[in-house]
Amino acid sequence: MGARAGLLGLGLAAAFFGAVPARGQVRDLVLGTTTSVRDAGLLEALLPEFERQYGRRVKVIVVGSGQAMELGRRGEADLLVVHDPDAELAFMAQGYGSERQAFASNEFVIVGPPADPAGIRGMASAPRALAAIARARATFVARGDRSGTQAKERRLWSLAGLSPDARRDDWYRESGQGMGVTLQIASEIRAYTLTDIGTFLGHVHVAPLELQVMVEGDTLLHNPYHIILVNAARFPWVGVAGARALRDYLLSAPTQRRIAAFGRERFGRSLFVPAACCQP
């Protein structure tokens, strides 16, 4: 029974990762990542150089951080880039990850319609701003997708002493979508939302949004990203050598310098702060 289950697991993993490569070939690396590093354009700027240098293609699965870690729990990714520290620590403690290292960071901001019906513009405290939104019953669009952004938002509501629920509170809505789509919805219905600054600025550059940054700079809005290698001792099909190569590339001085400069030319500011070196 146990051997049969093990063979079944290996078969499912092989099906997920694709057909067995021919002799001398290697399969694509699978990176499970949060939507924000994709929506901000960071992966598009970094991964092609890795693929050229190492001759390895990277298959990117873009989901919320919670869903990315679920891929890791099933051995369906080689490494992860996520931004939900509490959930990441639990993931490591449960033995699903073998190594976790800081990659980069940026900040969350609360954005809203220019009219600012809740009167939160310029507030220094994110929880107080959310409390003001709730008092005004101003429309707020949450991700509702088990993402790191949703986890941060729920913590901020908790610090405000509130727990809004889309099933009960008509002013609080859930998109069930990634950050880019959530920003579009908030813009269309003149609502507030929580977003990472990288996705917000990147989206505004592509398509206009009727949203402005209302609250920023609160230390509670710090947004760290980590790289996690999925535990090959638990999932023997994981490509640990390739995962380490990609991790090392992302944390190398040249790549970290590119992260420090990313967005500066287009937006007048870097969208991410590198974690390993080379502060801007």
Side-chain angles (χ1 to χ4, degrees):
M1 182 74 173
R4 184 176 179 182
L7 288 171
L8 177 59
L10 287 168
L12 291 172
F16 176 82
F17 283 122
V20 176
R23 184 180 297 275
Q25 294 181 333
V26 290
R27 66 165 175 81
D28 296 350
L29 285 171
V30 179
L31 168 63
T33 185
T34 178
T35 63
S36 54
V37 291
R38 188 277 308 273
D39 289 349
L42 184 63
L43 291 181
E44 186 179 356
L46 299 181
L47 291 181
E49 180 61 26
F50 171 81
E51 293 179 330
R52 284 192 295 269
Q53 284 187 25
Y54 290 85
R56 296 291 301 272
R57 291 182 54 191
V58 181
K59 177 180 179 181
V60 180
I61 301 178
V62 182
V63 287
S65 288
Q67 293 169 301
M69 282 182 270
E70 282 302 313
L71 292 175
R73 286 188 174 90
R74 298 193 297 267
E76 294 176 355
D78 298 304
L79 72 165
L80 312 172
V81 173
V82 286
H83 67 139
D84 187 352
D86 290 345
E88 293 165 27
L89 292 174
F91 182 89
M92 298 299 294
Q94 293 160 2
Y96 292 107
S98 59
E99 302 175 49
R100 173 179 178 263
Q101 290 176 268
F103 167 53
S105 65
N106 59 13
E107 71 167 330
F108 287 108
V109 294
I110 299 175
V111 299
D116 188 21
I120 67 169
R121 191 190 310 272
M123 281 190 175
S125 166
R128 287 181 181 176
L130 292 180
I133 291 171
R135 283 196 302 273
R137 301 184 67 81
T139 306
F140 186 97
V141 181
R143 291 270 296 270
D145 64 347
R146 300 175 58 208
S147 61
T149 302
Q150 182 196 18
K152 171 67 78 171
E153 181 214 318
R154 299 311 300 179
R155 284 193 287 272
L156 293 172
W157 283 116
S158 179
L159 290 171
L162 297 165
S163 182
D165 189 326
R167 296 166 296 183
R168 179 191 65 228
D169 303 302
D170 59 3
W171 56 270
Y172 184 83
R173 305 182 185 181
E174 292 184 342
S175 71
Q177 302 291 325
M179 197 68 255
V181 175
T182 300
L183 284 167
Q184 289 178 326
I185 293 171
S187 178
E188 290 168 3
I189 66 175
R190 297 178 175 83
Y192 296 93
T193 192
L194 180 74
T195 177
D196 65 283
I197 189 64
T199 302
F200 178 69
L201 292 178
H203 199 87
V204 168
H205 185 80
V206 174
L209 293 173
E210 293 297 317
L211 298 170
Q212 296 176 357
V213 174
M214 298 289 167
V215 178
E216 60 183 329
D218 187 340
T219 56
L220 292 170
L221 295 174
H222 181 61
N223 182 28
Y225 294 82
H226 291 85
I227 299 172
I228 296 177
L229 302 190
V230 176
N231 191 354
R234 190 167 193 143
F235 306 107
W237 52 83
V238 165
V240 65
R244 284 178 175 155
L246 179 53
R247 184 271 315 276
D248 292 346
Y249 165 80
L250 292 173
L251 299 183
S252 68
T255 304
Q256 291 278 297
R257 282 194 291 268
R258 292 174 67 190
I259 293 171
F262 180 73
R264 188 176 295 278
E265 184 175 335
R266 293 168 65 189
F267 308 111
R269 60 179 289 179
S270 298
L271 299 191
F272 293 88
V273 176
C277 73
C278 323
Q279 300 298 321

